[in-house]
Amino acid sequence: MTATVPAIMESYGFLLAKAAQRLVQACEPELAAHGITARHVGMLRTITEQGPISQKALGDLHRIDRTTMVTLTDELASAGLIHRTRAENDRRSNLLSISTYGASKLQRGWSVVQRAELQALSMLTEKEQAQLKKLLLKIMEGVPT
C-alpha cells in the first residue's frame, strides 16, 4: 500500500510556515535558557543594525501590527534588552536602541539561530541555499503588507 501525500503539502504557504516553525522550534529551547525568543533575536538584530529606530519603523520592517509591536517592545524593555527614548522630532514616537545587556543576549541568541539554520539547511548545497534565499526574498517583496 502506497502512502498518499496530504493535499495540504501542495500549499506553498503551508510548507513555508512549517519550515519556519521547525526552525524556530529547533532554537527556542536554547534561546529560552537565555531568556529570549527567536522573534526577540530578530528584533534586537534589526535595532542594532538600524537603531535608534522608531517602534513603528521596526514594526514595518518586521511586518508586525501596531498592537503586537507594543507588546513586543514592552517585553524587550522590561527585560532590559532595549532602551526607549522619545524622538526629538515627534514626541509621540519612541526610538528604540539596544542596551549593553541586550547586545550580550543578541550575541548569544544570534549564534543559536545561526546554528539552527545551518543544521536545517545542511541537506542543501551552498548554491541551493543561495537560490532559496534569493527566492524567499523575491516572495517577500511580492507579498503585499
Side-chain angles (χ1 to χ4, degrees), residues 94-109:
N94 287 318
L95 291 178
L96 309 176
S97 57
I98 194 163
S99 67
T100 304
Y101 180 65
S104 70
K105 290 289 186 174
L106 171 59
Q107 185 176 14
R108 289 186 213 121

Side-chain angles (χ1 to χ4, degrees), residues 1-142:
M1 180 172 203
T2 305
T4 60
V5 176
I8 194 67
M9 296 301 238
E10 295 297 320
S11 166
Y12 292 103
F14 177 82
L15 294 171
L16 286 167
K18 290 302 167 185
Q21 185 181 44
R22 284 203 174 172
L23 268 172
V24 170
Q25 287 173 339
C27 59
E28 283 296 336
E30 191 174 348
L31 291 174
H34 295 293
I36 55 177
T37 67
R39 188 176 242 183
H40 292 153
V41 171
M43 292 177 68
L44 290 172
R45 182 139 169 117
T46 303
I47 293 168
T48 299
E49 292 171 353
Q50 304 282 320
I53 186 172
S54 75
Q55 196 166 297
K56 181 182 178 340
L58 182 61
D60 290 347
L61 280 170
H62 284 257
R63 296 183 176 195
I64 298 172
D65 67 86
R66 200 179 119 219
T67 304
T68 304
M69 195 63 212
V70 169
T71 301
L72 288 167
T73 53
D74 285 348
E75 289 173 8
L76 293 171
S78 65
L81 301 171
I82 62 168
H83 300 293
R84 270 192 280 215
T85 56
R86 291 278 180 216
E88 290 179 18
N89 58 346
D90 182 358
R91 296 187 47 82
R92 297 169 295 165
S93 179
N94 287 318
L95 291 178
L96 309 176
S97 57
I98 194 163
S99 67
T100 304
Y101 180 65
S104 70
K105 290 289 186 174
L106 171 59
Q107 185 176 14
R108 289 186 213 121
W110 187 246
S111 67
V112 170
V113 169
Q114 286 181 305
R115 275 196 315 276
E117 286 181 352
L118 285 172
Q119 176 67 33
L121 297 171
S122 65
M123 75 281 304
L124 301 177
T125 66
E126 284 185 31
K127 184 177 179 180
E128 289 170 329
Q129 289 177 30
Q131 183 179 18
L132 176 61
K133 185 178 284 184
K134 182 179 177 181
L135 292 171
L136 289 171
L137 287 167
K138 191 172 186 177
I139 290 169
M140 284 191 60
E141 290 170 8

